[in-house]
Amino acid sequence: MSATQNKTGGMHPTTTGPLSFGSVKPNQGLQNAAKKSRADIIGELSASGMKGRGGAGFPTGVKWNLAAAAQDSTKYIICNADEGEPGTFKDRVILSEYSDLVFEGMTIAGLAIGARQGIVYLRGEYSYLRPLLEAVLERRRTQELLGDNILGREGFSFDIAIRMGSGAYVCGEETALIESLEGQRGEPRNRPPFPVDTGYMGHPTVVNNVETLAWAACILAKGAAWFKGIGTDKSTGLKLFSISGDCERPGVYEFPMGISIAELLREVGGEDAKAVQVGGASGHCVPAKCFARTLAYEDIPTGGSIIVLGPGRDMLGIARNFLEFFVEESCGQCTPCRAGTVKLLEGVELLQEGKCSMKYLRELCALGETMQLASKCGLGQSSPNAFLSIVKEFQDEIMGRTDLAAAGKE
Amino acid sequence: MLVTEQDALRQEIKAWGDMYGRDRTALIPILQEIQRKHARISEYAMQIVADMLDIHPVEVYGVVSFYSFLDHKPKGRFVIRLCRTISCDMHDKDRVARQLQNDLGIRFGETTPDGRFTLEWANCIGMCDQGPALLVNDHVFTRVTPDKVHDILEGCRRAMGVHAQEQMQEHLV
Ligand SMILES: Cc1cc2nc3c(=O)[nH]c(=O)nc-3n(C[C@H](O)[C@H](O)[C@H](O)COP(=O)(O)O)c2cc1C
Ligand code: SF4
Ligand code: FES
């Protein structure tokens, strides 16, 4: 149990399987990077094939390359530690146990793109981690791993500041995050322009997930070939999964990309699951008949949230919980999302009351598809996913319900 | 608000301005400090911040109203936020919710008349492997069961007693 966990008194340690982060030599990646040219650092990352671990899966090497190519004397590296997707807690574990690796990754990114300032955007719910993180940063400054002429490399200057979120899920979206850092409401911007071009304060900015940055440090330490040798062709390397719900051993696990859902369930003791929600509230519900499918960008992509749904779970209740989440967290800027999430939630309530016609259910599905296309940001584009997949896979279960009527609530 | 309190608040906000700067990027860090210290951001405080950063008070209000951890209305000394998202929901968060309401005598969204406790819902707080989870201000409690609710509340009351004593001692010296 780490110090922070003790201090809060009421928190239990998270179960973790063995994680590679524990076996990488501290600052090896940074030392290797400091001896390389910028192009070679980015080349190493590109060769690893790593894609962003925050969910969207954009190739990290390409992102760094775009920011490196941008002409500007001021650039930023932002670590997205807003971890708000329901069912995700891997970034909390990484920040609690391996924050050095994350800061190392940020510093390498700074060198690669020519940024001197890094910012960690830490969700307000993780405030208790801040003293620990500040202490690690302070230590890194005294070790000359942050500051001017890092590791003796002339002109390699980089420092990291921590900024707190204030309880808004949408601020995990990279442009909303930047708005928030600039002192605005966390409302997503139109993209393009992308942050690599016009980011924080209008300067080129790389926004990367906590885990992406930690792996970047590992890749520079162990080499691209090591990472590329694991996983599948299109989804290379290792990935952390946050596993919760109806299983015997919930926790944070490291698996190679491309692991099947069935294998994963065996590892965590959830073989009897009826379905698995992959990717959190914004992800997809995968029924047992599809457990041979794999967690990979080419099959089912995910930021790593896995919620195991046991045999007795009411799928409509799950859909309802997710939609309540989105009604609450929609920033309200665009109509498909603002109005659509409310309509879908009302639809689920009708279904729970056993009062939804097939015709209306089809209309709701059409609405969901419109939201996927017409919403301004990823929140509205993905909020109908869970509803749509539950309707598709569990239609029989959700239609013609009599449970509420039987319970005398009608 | 007393004139002396207004002055004190003004001084405090100025000091935070010195710390975080006086441009727009300083807005949220300053508001977070005010929220932490005063458990709310009053209209008066918003006005001072707006003047200091040279922006319209409506801009400040717009930001305060957007973020769920920033509040215009007064909150209790302890804000209890129970996670209602899926994994905690699947682990009986409803029973914990009921017990919180029983022991505090308030419903969600309300503050106890003595101003000590505010009860709210939270969305996933990243403790899904240990649900039901709740936050008391910055502190996390996990695997909360209805019978543990009382202990958590007593812990807060004790912390407040200690805090009150500390404050008295500060005044004595
Ligand atoms: C509504 C919404 C919430 C998001 N929340 C997070 C988050 O909490 N953490 C994160 O790393 N990415 C989040 N993202 C994805 C980011 O926009 C961005 O793609 C990511 O930080 C890029 O980092 P990566 O390439 O390293 O994955 C979110 C996206 C959306 C649309
Ligand atoms: S999709 Fe939703 S969260 Fe995204 S900009 Fe539109 S209203 Fe805001
Ligand atoms: S669902 Fe409650 S902490 Fe994540």
Side-chain angles (χ1 to χ4, degrees):
Chain A
M1 205 190 260
S2 74
T4 46
Q5 284 170 331
N6 276 325
K7 211 189 82 213
T8 56
M11 190 167 155
H12 300 83
T14 288
T15 307
T16 55
L19 305 184
S20 302
F21 293 157
S23 66
V24 175
K25 198 158 155 252
N27 300 307
Q28 183 67 54
L30 184 57
Q31 278 159 11
N32 293 350
K35 290 184 213 120
K36 285 182 196 283
S37 71
R38 291 183 168 166
D40 284 349
I41 298 172
I42 296 173
E44 191 78 30
L45 210 62
S46 300
S48 77
M50 179 170 59
K51 292 180 179 165
R53 267 31 183 167
F58 192 81
T60 309
V62 174
K63 190 182 277 188
W64 289 18
N65 207 12
L66 288 167
Q71 297 294 322
D72 197 330
S73 56
T74 305
K75 299 180 185 179
Y76 294 97
I77 303 294
I78 293 175
C79 169
N80 189 342
D82 199 45
E83 186 163 63
E85 189 62 52
T88 319
F89 45 96
K90 63 174 179 78
D91 293 345
R92 164 176 63 78
V93 170
I94 299 172
L95 291 168
S96 307
E97 314 281 335
Y98 305 104
S99 59
D100 266 299
L101 212 50
V102 179
F103 297 146
E104 196 187 328
M106 291 178 75
T107 312
I108 294 168
L111 175 61
I113 75 157
R116 282 186 302 274
Q117 182 64 49
I119 303 170
V120 177
Y121 187 90
L122 183 66
R123 69 183 306 213
E125 290 84 344
Y126 290 173
S127 290
Y128 56 89
L129 289 175
R130 186 166 185 179
L132 170 86
L133 297 178
E134 294 283 10
V136 173
L137 287 175
E138 202 41 50
R139 171 171 52 68
R140 291 185 72 81
R141 285 182 197 113
T142 61
Q143 291 172 313
E144 294 178 359
L145 299 167
L146 287 174
D148 289 329
N149 302 324
I150 294 169
L151 293 172
R153 176 160 167 165
E154 192 70 27
F156 178 13
S157 302
F158 192 73
D159 211 330
I160 296 173
I162 299 175
R163 292 279 304 268
M164 303 305 301
S166 264
Y169 164 72
V170 71
C171 285
E173 196 281 336
E174 55 185 13
T175 61
L177 187 157
I178 289 169
E179 284 287 312
S180 175
L181 284 176
E182 292 179 357
Q184 308 286 344
R185 294 161 66 89
E187 290 170 350
R189 298 175 179 171
N190 279 318
R191 301 182 317 161
F194 292 96
V196 285
D197 180 46
T198 310
Y200 181 55
M201 305 305 285
H203 296 290
T205 302
V206 162
V207 182
N208 271 141
N209 174 253
V210 170
E211 187 189 344
T212 308
L213 291 160
W215 285 123
C218 297
I219 289 166
L220 265 295
K222 296 178 133 189
W226 158 74
F227 198 80
K228 202 174 166 48
I230 306 167
T232 71
D233 277 354
K234 291 201 175 97
S235 309
T236 60
L238 296 156
K239 169 95 191 79
L240 265 51
F241 292 88
S242 314
I243 301 168
S244 67
D246 300 316
C247 60
E248 281 161 33
R249 296 176 292 280
V252 170
Y253 291 80
E254 176 184 292
F255 295 124
M257 295 293 296
I259 186 176
S260 73
I261 296 176
E263 273 173 274
L264 179 145
L265 287 173
R266 262 199 302 284
E267 293 288 331
V268 303
E271 294 95 326
D272 63 348
K274 165 184 184 180
V276 169
Q277 179 72 20
V278 180
S282 57
H284 293 268
C285 190
V286 182
K289 66 173 195 276
C290 302
F291 282 174
R293 290 186 64 183
T294 61
L295 302 170
Y297 299 106
E298 64 272 23
D299 192 355
I300 309 177
T302 169
S305 166
I306 303 286
I307 301 161
V308 183
L309 306 171
R313 289 294 163 196
D314 169 16
M315 302 311 287
L316 217 41
I318 309 285
R320 180 180 180 139
N321 189 284
F322 288 151
L323 284 165
E324 284 170 344
F325 173 81
F326 286 119
V327 166
E328 172 108 342
E329 297 292 350
S330 164
C331 84
Q333 220 189 147
C334 65
T335 316
C337 168
R338 184 186 59 239
T341 45
V342 173
K343 274 277 166 233
L344 292 185
L345 178 58
E346 287 168 3
V348 168
E349 284 163 1
L350 276 185
L351 284 162
Q352 283 186 317
E353 290 163 16
K355 288 179 180 165
C356 185
S357 68
M358 184 55 100
K359 180 162 175 280
Y360 189 60
L361 183 62
R362 295 224 169 100
E363 278 172 29
L364 287 174
C365 290
L367 170 68
E369 284 158 19
T370 307
M371 291 165 66
Q372 288 174 328
L373 293 172
S375 294
K376 180 170 175 178
C377 86
L379 190 152
Q381 288 159 10
S382 59
S383 58
N385 291 351
F387 172 81
L388 290 174
S389 52
I390 286 172
V391 169
K392 180 164 168 256
E393 304 294 349
F394 297 94
Q395 203 167 85
D396 176 37
E397 177 183 323
I398 66 175
M399 300 297 287
R401 301 260 289 224
T402 55
D403 37 348
L404 280 189
K409 290 195 184 165
E410 216 171 17
Chain B
M1 212 192 276
L2 296 171
V3 176
T4 47
E5 284 175 28
Q6 288 188 350
D7 278 346
L9 186 61
R10 187 177 289 277
Q11 290 311 318
E12 256 170 17
I13 292 175
K14 289 268 176 298
W16 286 319
D18 293 339
M19 200 163 132
Y20 294 108
R22 287 186 160 70
D23 59 279
R24 181 82 193 230
T25 59
L27 175 61
I28 293 176
I30 293 171
L31 294 175
Q32 286 168 337
E33 294 282 3
I34 300 171
Q35 179 76 41
R36 176 182 294 271
K37 178 93 189 275
H38 298 281
R40 70 175 297 202
I41 301 167
S42 65
E43 260 149 39
Y44 186 72
M46 288 191 228
Q47 182 68 55
I48 302 173
V49 174
D51 289 346
M52 184 171 76
L53 303 185
D54 198 18
I55 52 182
H56 199 281
V58 167
E59 290 277 320
V60 180
Y61 182 77
V63 167
V64 171
S65 63
F66 184 85
Y67 294 95
S68 63
F69 283 11
L70 301 179
D71 285 284
H72 170 208
K73 288 207 212 68
K75 289 248 166 126
R77 166 98 168 68
F78 295 98
V79 181
I80 300 178
R81 296 187 168 94
L82 175 65
C83 174
R84 64 170 157 199
T85 310
I86 192 72
S87 299
C88 294
D89 185 57
M90 286 163 56
H91 286 97
D92 276 346
K93 67 105 177 46
D94 281 340
R95 293 184 57 214
V96 176
R98 184 173 279 263
Q99 198 58 41
L100 279 165
Q101 292 181 335
N102 290 344
D103 285 4
L104 289 170
I106 53 172
R107 283 173 302 189
F108 280 77
E110 294 179 351
T111 299
T112 52
D114 63 7
R116 286 185 177 182
F117 294 98
T118 297
L119 187 55
E120 289 185 349
W121 292 114
N123 287 327
C124 182
I125 59 172
M127 290 290 155
C128 331
D129 56 324
Q130 312 172 22
L134 60 81
L135 280 166
V136 180
N137 297 347
D138 289 350
H139 292 240
V140 183
F141 293 85
T142 62
R143 298 209 185 104
V144 180
T145 48
D147 61 310
K148 280 196 202 147
V149 163
H150 177 77
D151 297 344
I152 293 172
L153 298 181
E154 276 308 303
C156 294
R157 292 195 178 100
R158 265 200 307 280
M160 194 149 50
V162 171
H163 187 72
Q165 262 181 353
E166 274 171 7
Q167 276 189 335
M168 267 163 54
Q169 273 162 2
E170 269 173 32
H171 279 287
L172 289 176
V173 288

